[in-house]
Amino acid sequence: QVQLQASGGGLVQPGGSLRLSCAASGSIFSITGMSWYRQVLGNQRELVAIITSGGRTEYADAVKGRFTMSRDNAKNTAYLQMNSLKPEDTAVYYCNADVRLIGSTAYQYRYWGQGTQVTVSS
């Protein structure tokens, strides 16, 4: 099995910064893509950023120029650097990963982290 551990959330003032981490562990052969989503209670889940195994990134329009996603393949970890935070960035942030497992590399599975709360408020 594979587990994703999201961390780094917290309370920050508008204009501040946070860095989220998502560490994958388990019987991992490789990770193809990783992504960050966010969701406010009662709202639809929103894709925030994605990154390929080669490091190519895409961002939602709402966060372009402010958020940066990266990854460390040796550590099976993805990061989301969030700068110039706004109150509308407040949400639970979830990471996910598309994983190939040791012993069954012909298939790919999607795993989700537990989420970490980000609150932007003065």
Side-chain angles (χ1 to χ4, degrees), residues 51-117:
I51 190 167
T52 69
S53 60
R56 185 171 183 174
T57 55
E58 296 283 348
Y59 301 94
D61 288 343
V63 306
K64 285 181 179 177
R66 299 188 297 119
F67 291 11
T68 302
M69 190 174 182
S70 60
R71 66 189 290 172
D72 185 337
N73 290 336
K75 297 180 179 179
N76 288 328
T77 300
Y79 306 93
L80 186 67
Q81 179 66 47
M82 304 184 295
N83 299 325
S84 301
L85 283 162
K86 304 175 181 179
E88 53 262 42
D89 295 319
T90 296
V92 177
Y93 284 71
Y94 298 92
C95 65
N96 82 319
D98 294 320
V99 179
R100 291 187 174 91
L101 304 178
I102 295 173
S104 61
T105 58
Y107 299 94
Q108 190 167 271
Y109 303 90
R110 175 159 289 187
Y111 293 90
W112 292 88
Q114 84 284 4
T116 184
Q117 175 71 49

Side-chain angles (χ1 to χ4, degrees), residues 14-35:
S17 298
L18 285 173
R19 190 190 191 209
L20 307 183
S21 298
C22 177
S25 61
S27 300
I28 299 169
F29 178 79
S30 65
I31 299 175
T32 303
M34 302 186 77
S35 61

